[in-house]
Amino acid sequence: MGRSWHPLALSLAIALFLVGTHRVAAQQVWWGSESVPVQRAYADWQQQHILYLGETHDSEADHRAQLQILQELQRRGRPLAIALEMIQRPFQAALDAYIAGEITEMELLEQTQYTQRWGFPWSLYAPIFRFAREQQIPLIALNTPTEVTHQVARYGLASLREEDFRYIPPLTEIDLSNTTYRDRLREIFWAAHQGASHSLNFDFFYQAQVLWDETMAKVIAKHHQRHPDRLIVVLTGRGHVYFGEGIPQRVQRRLSPNLRQAIILLNPTATEKAKPRIADWFWQNDPSL
């Protein structure tokens, strides 16, 4: 069968896919290729059901942008919820307790196993969490448990047992049919492993990635059904929202063709901006700040 996935190898491969407290002025906002006033952008974003802020996880500029966008949306009065790729589903109770003031920030990190399961510097995300607590904005844990992701990446979806489905969708909801998405992930996989792995390992990697997307999509859709008045702002790696193929289309499939969603890539590269339909909006921080 070839070499099985090691957790570190999985983490490195996925990192290639995903990584590509003061207010910061936006240098420029684009709607597709059109530069638009930032206030026009906010007016549009406020009318969405779901807003995706595609980040590079270790980018301080991206997280400053996320905080500014959240602050302005909150100021405009629309009820918000913040959905978090960086917190896994079993730890929703810890997020609820943190927002309620029942546990400290340090206890939140311990109870969500943040360092072990995410690991990017907490200082990048802390201002967003503190703002949510201050404003009593619900936080939503999105991600698949690491144990399940690694199981699928090593042995495939067929290896899952009944107890593994507590925090993930049933197999009937995991759509592997998007060949464009599959091809893009194959390029990333081969770049990470230099073509050394058996093709079955790529199949399992692809299944793990789609499971990740489907889990997050299901949680977002469920929250929208329960709280349709809220604007859900999703903080996730940009690879999960490119062309809408990771999370957004899977949310749409679960809800309605009329669902209003918008994808914002934060501080895009020139290559990203040159790709048609990769995102709805692009946000660029002022580099002088």
Side-chain angles (χ1 to χ4, degrees):
M1 180 183 294
R3 293 177 297 174
S4 63
W5 273 87
H6 184 279
L8 178 59
L10 170 68
S11 299
L12 290 173
I14 291 182
L16 285 175
F17 177 63
L18 300 182
V19 174
T21 14
H22 58 282
R23 296 174 66 86
V24 178
Q27 180 188 25
Q28 202 163 10
V29 178
W30 294 268
W31 180 50
S33 60
E34 177 188 358
S35 177
V36 300
V38 68
Q39 294 306 316
R40 173 183 161 188
Y42 279 119
D44 179 275
W45 299 344
Q46 197 175 15
Q47 300 305 313
Q48 303 299 317
H49 293 116
I50 302 164
L51 194 63
Y52 300 90
L53 305 186
E55 66 176 52
T56 295
H57 299 316
D58 60 356
S59 168
E60 182 182 355
D62 287 5
H63 298 304
R64 290 201 311 266
Q66 289 170 335
L67 179 59
Q68 180 184 348
I69 291 168
L70 287 164
Q71 288 172 329
E72 179 61 20
L73 291 171
Q74 172 75 1
R75 187 190 70 78
R76 289 167 176 256
R78 172 89 180 273
L80 301 179
I82 304 173
L84 303 163
E85 179 195 357
M86 54 289 315
I87 304 296
Q88 295 174 8
R89 290 204 62 206
F91 308 111
Q92 180 62 52
L95 292 179
D96 295 340
Y98 174 74
I99 293 299
E102 297 168 359
I103 62 174
T104 66
E105 190 171 302
M106 185 60 66
E107 289 170 327
L108 173 70
L109 295 179
E110 293 171 355
Q111 292 182 25
T112 59
Q113 300 176 25
Y114 176 88
T115 300
Q116 304 94 308
R117 292 176 180 266
W118 192 244
F120 291 95
W122 172 244
S123 59
L124 297 173
Y125 293 94
I128 295 170
F129 278 72
R130 293 166 189 164
F131 174 70
R133 178 163 166 159
E134 173 190 320
Q135 298 296 322
Q136 292 293 287
I137 300 172
L139 296 174
I140 308 168
L142 289 184
N143 216 334
T144 309
T146 300
E147 297 84 351
V148 178
T149 305
H150 286 173
Q151 173 71 18
V152 174
R154 285 193 291 263
Y155 305 113
L157 288 166
S159 71
L160 294 177
R161 300 160 296 180
E162 183 178 352
E163 57 265 30
D164 295 324
F165 287 90
R166 180 177 179 185
Y167 295 109
I168 65 174
L171 290 178
T172 54
E173 293 184 19
I174 300 173
D175 182 2
L176 300 167
S177 66
N178 189 323
T179 56
T180 303
Y181 192 42
R182 182 184 180 89
D183 290 345
R184 183 157 56 85
L185 284 173
R186 187 189 298 276
E187 292 180 7
I188 295 165
F189 178 84
W190 279 77
H193 297 279
Q194 299 179 348
S197 297
H198 190 282
S199 61
L200 271 180
N201 281 348
F202 168 73
D203 288 340
F204 294 163
F205 169 76
Y206 178 62
Q207 290 175 19
Q209 184 64 47
V210 171
L211 173 61
W212 200 333
D213 294 328
E214 292 283 16
T215 298
M216 292 192 281
K218 182 168 185 174
V219 178
I220 293 166
K222 187 174 182 180
H223 191 88
H224 174 72
Q225 289 171 323
R226 290 180 173 177
H227 306 281
D229 59 317
R230 290 179 184 166
L231 170 56
I232 302 175
V233 183
V234 182
L235 309 188
T236 186
R238 59 218 301 116
H240 288 288
V241 298
Y242 282 154
F243 306 101
E245 292 173 338
I247 304 172
Q249 290 178 3
R250 301 174 196 276
V251 174
Q252 196 106 29
R253 188 189 80 220
R254 287 176 165 85
L255 294 173
S256 163
N258 299 319
L259 185 73
R260 297 189 301 276
Q261 303 189 97
I263 299 167
I264 307 169
L265 284 191
L266 304 172
N267 300 300
T269 65
T271 300
E272 286 173 327
K273 287 186 66 179
K275 293 183 178 180
R277 298 182 298 279
I278 193 172
D280 302 299
W281 297 84
F282 301 107
W283 169 289
Q284 187 72 53
N285 283 13
D286 185 336
S288 69
L289 297 176

